[in-house]
Amino acid sequence: MNNKIYMLTIAAMAVGLVSCKKDFLNKLPISQGTVGNYYKTASDAEGGLVGAYQQAFLNDQYWVWDYTTNGDARADNCYAGGDNPDNFGVDNFTTTPLNGNITRDWQGPYQDIYAANTVIDKVPLIPAASFTGNRQQEIISEAKFIRALSYFQLVTSYGAVPLVTSTIAGKFQPTPSRTAVTEVYAQIEKDLLDGEGVLPTTFPSVGHVTKGAVQALLAKVYAQEGKYQQCLDYCNKVISSGTYTLVPDFKTLFDGTKNTTESIFEIQHSSGSGFTTYNVSLYLPAVFGTYSFKKFNLPTNDLIALYKSQNDNIRLGSSIYTATVGADGLAAGDPIPAPYSNLSPTVPFLYKWKTNISQFGGGTDNTILLRLADIILLKAEALNQLNQTPAAIPLVNQIRARVQLAGITATSKADVGLAILNERRMELAFEGQRWNDLLRYGSDYTINLMKSQVDPFGKALNYGINQNRLLFPVPLNEIQLDGNLTQNPGY
């Protein structure tokens, strides 16, 4: 069995999920070699949780860059750009079971799940009297959020996946079979519901999973399952909690400001800690101080046209940087990535992360996983799906008003549904949401939309998408190492 799918090696180094307030994760994470005899004190439990956070949100490359590739380049928001054939495969639906991205995005979440399972298994063995207040159960619930989020990534990408919920011999099956999608979702729901009853609304320091984060993720999970009444219920819990408010100026969400009133959960980055995000150097040209190489995930003409058709200059300017070829350092400093060329008058670049771009990997912008605007628009979607369309319209207009746009004119359920889909596209571009949004809207719609895509010069891209290609293949090496795994249809 390939143990790296399910086992974790965490480096014994200071963790990088740092806070702009108190650094709650400034503890030494647990290494694999000491897991068996480490969990004896409350401090040990905190160290194990630190290790789980570090593994899930810093070591796992999904939240470094793949969430944008899988959520936006696979959809109609970005061209793959860059020079990586594995990214091209995700973008144009030619992935194979040998694709390196696909393998990484299978193995990474299982490493995250193992780290979370270790905490969930070991922390209950420490005497409850060792902990202050309800901290023992909070630690377990934070780990369950990590596990739930990881399984949400897996089930939406691969469909049925092995459900591994323990590291204990006898409970852990080293060569598991794939578990039905409904059972995986049931476990996700259970983990999050367990945490909802335990976690506080706020912690003294940022970076923790809170009750609001659990409720927001539950809303998104229920929506993806098509359980719109439950989705609506949990959107209402987040919105009515009074904990979160929209920031008045959209631009401040992506100008280096961290942990705003709109943020529900975000990954913490800091140059002082040495732990940073790669996003800026992957996406922005050399004129910003990044290295010169072909940049990834270039915004599509279609997305830019949508912004312009709505006169949405605020979100366009905050999300996309357009550089002129022959100026802005492009001709001398950056090779122009496909599908653009040196014949292009301008090249758009992804611009939602832009802080401290002095070197490769040097960006210090936090990665926002959950924020209030997402939940407000998700509530509008749920209301519309539940035939409460008139109640959905003001929520869409609330988001539009922030960027100085007039309200939508749509009134029918179908037209409002499309307006919500477009509003989510403009609001959440490059935040990894678009692909799941399309799938909720309908597989036939998604397939036809992607078949209609063109390059920046109007040439048809002829994506080979079909029903089978809505899921990734199971990595071939995992099937070879685990004889109980089966392949998705069409691969």
Side-chain angles (χ1 to χ4, degrees):
M1 182 61 191
N2 183 1
N3 286 336
K4 70 179 179 178
I5 305 175
Y6 305 111
M7 304 297 287
L8 169 67
T9 301
I10 302 174
M13 59 192 298
V15 73
L17 286 177
V18 299
S19 163
C20 63
K21 302 176 185 177
K22 179 182 177 183
D23 182 0
F24 97 91
L25 291 176
N26 189 19
K27 295 178 180 290
L28 193 68
I30 297 174
S31 70
Q32 183 180 356
T34 61
V35 164
N37 57 14
Y38 187 91
Y39 286 88
K40 295 180 179 178
T41 69
S43 180
D44 295 343
E46 296 286 0
L49 181 63
V50 165
Y53 272 108
Q54 179 173 329
Q55 168 56 36
F57 299 123
L58 293 174
N59 295 354
D60 185 352
Q61 294 186 36
Y62 185 85
W63 296 115
V64 175
W65 50 58
D66 285 357
Y67 74 102
T68 305
T69 301
N70 294 350
D72 292 276
R74 182 163 44 153
D76 54 345
N77 280 354
C78 296
Y79 307 113
D83 56 4
N84 186 334
D86 289 337
N87 287 52
F88 300 155
V90 171
D91 181 24
N92 60 28
F93 301 95
T94 59
T95 51
T96 73
L98 294 172
N99 184 290
N101 285 25
I102 303 307
T103 301
R104 180 171 69 209
D105 292 342
W106 174 285
Q107 292 179 347
Y110 275 112
Q111 292 170 339
D112 306 345
I113 289 163
Y114 182 85
N117 282 345
T118 300
V119 174
I120 295 165
D121 287 340
K122 299 295 185 180
V123 170
L125 304 180
I126 302 171
S130 303
F131 297 86
T132 300
N134 201 34
R135 185 58 189 147
Q136 184 178 35
Q137 293 305 311
E138 290 174 357
I139 291 170
I140 295 168
S141 294
E142 290 180 68
K144 285 184 176 181
F145 176 93
I146 293 171
R147 183 168 71 182
L149 180 65
S150 300
Y151 271 119
F152 189 48
Q153 293 168 233
L154 287 165
V155 75
T156 53
S157 296
Y158 302 92
V161 293
L163 188 60
V164 182
T165 58
S166 181
T167 63
I168 299 172
K171 295 183 180 180
F172 170 67
Q173 168 55 257
T175 55
S177 303
R178 300 176 73 179
T179 305
V181 167
T182 54
E183 293 182 45
V184 177
Y185 270 115
Q187 183 63 51
I188 293 170
E189 291 176 17
K190 183 180 185 304
D191 280 346
L192 295 173
L193 290 167
D194 288 349
E196 182 190 13
V198 170
L199 290 168
T201 302
T202 60
F203 281 93
S205 55
V206 296
H208 285 280
V209 171
T210 62
K211 183 188 294 290
V214 166
Q215 292 171 335
L217 183 55
L218 263 169
K220 295 176 74 65
V221 168
Y222 283 135
Q224 212 64 33
E225 293 183 89
K227 297 180 178 180
Y228 277 106
Q229 183 57 58
Q230 293 94 320
C231 170
L232 177 59
D233 293 342
Y234 274 87
C235 288
N236 282 333
K237 287 186 178 186
V238 174
I239 294 167
S240 65
S241 69
T243 307
Y244 313 103
T245 57
L246 293 177
V247 300
D249 186 351
F250 179 87
K251 294 189 293 294
T252 62
L253 286 168
F254 302 100
D255 66 354
T257 305
K258 301 185 178 188
N259 306 301
T260 69
T261 60
E262 185 168 331
S263 174
I264 301 173
F265 184 74
E266 62 187 70
I267 301 170
Q268 311 294 311
H269 296 283
S270 168
S271 59
S273 70
F275 289 90
T276 53
T277 175
Y278 289 102
N279 287 339
V280 285
S281 50
L282 286 169
Y283 301 146
L284 284 170
V287 67
F288 284 88
T290 63
Y291 284 120
S292 298
F293 58 86
K294 292 183 178 180
K295 304 303 179 175
F296 292 88
N297 293 348
L298 282 81
T300 62
N301 282 18
D302 185 63
L303 175 61
I304 295 169
L306 176 63
Y307 280 121
K308 290 182 176 180
S309 72
Q310 297 292 305
N311 295 315
D312 190 355
N313 297 319
I314 291 175
R315 287 184 295 200
L316 173 61
S318 297
S319 305
I320 296 172
Y321 175 83
T322 301
T324 302
V325 175
D328 300 327
L330 286 180
D334 271 294
I336 306 302
Y340 293 90
S341 73
N342 289 328
L343 299 177
S344 307
T346 59
V347 178
F349 295 89
L350 194 159
Y351 190 51
K352 271 194 171 175
W353 300 275
K354 54 184 76 80
T355 304
N356 188 25
I357 34 186
S358 59
Q359 59 182 346
F360 182 74
T364 58
D365 295 278
N366 284 357
T367 302
I368 304 172
L369 269 61
L370 297 165
R371 62 183 176 94
L372 182 60
D374 181 0
I375 302 304
I376 291 173
L377 289 172
L378 200 61
K379 177 179 177 179
E381 179 181 327
L383 286 166
N384 193 54
Q385 288 288 337
L386 294 168
N387 299 312
Q388 300 177 50
T389 299
I393 294 171
L395 296 171
V396 181
N397 291 342
Q398 178 185 4
I399 300 302
R400 293 175 64 83
R402 175 167 65 172
V403 290
Q404 302 174 27
L405 297 181
I408 61 174
T409 58
T411 57
S412 71
K413 179 179 178 180
D415 290 346
V416 170
L418 183 58
I420 293 168
L421 184 67
N422 285 334
E423 199 65 34
R424 288 183 61 82
R425 188 184 186 192
M426 293 184 289
E427 176 71 22
L428 302 168
F430 319 131
E431 296 179 51
Q433 305 293 331
R434 177 64 171 170
W435 182 252
N436 280 350
D437 287 353
L438 288 176
L439 292 183
R440 291 198 309 278
Y441 198 76
S443 59
D444 289 344
Y445 177 89
T446 302
I447 291 168
N448 291 331
L449 177 70
M450 297 314 300
K451 282 184 175 180
S452 71
Q453 296 302 296
V454 298
D455 73 8
F457 309 102
K459 181 180 178 181
L461 289 166
N462 296 317
Y463 289 144
I465 185 174
N466 55 37
Q467 189 71 33
N468 292 331
R469 294 279 162 169
L470 298 179
L471 291 175
F472 286 146
V474 177
L476 179 61
N477 65 322
E478 306 305 335
I479 292 176
Q480 292 173 332
L481 290 164
D482 180 350
N484 291 324
L485 289 180
T486 57
Q487 186 54 269
N488 278 327
Y491 290 100

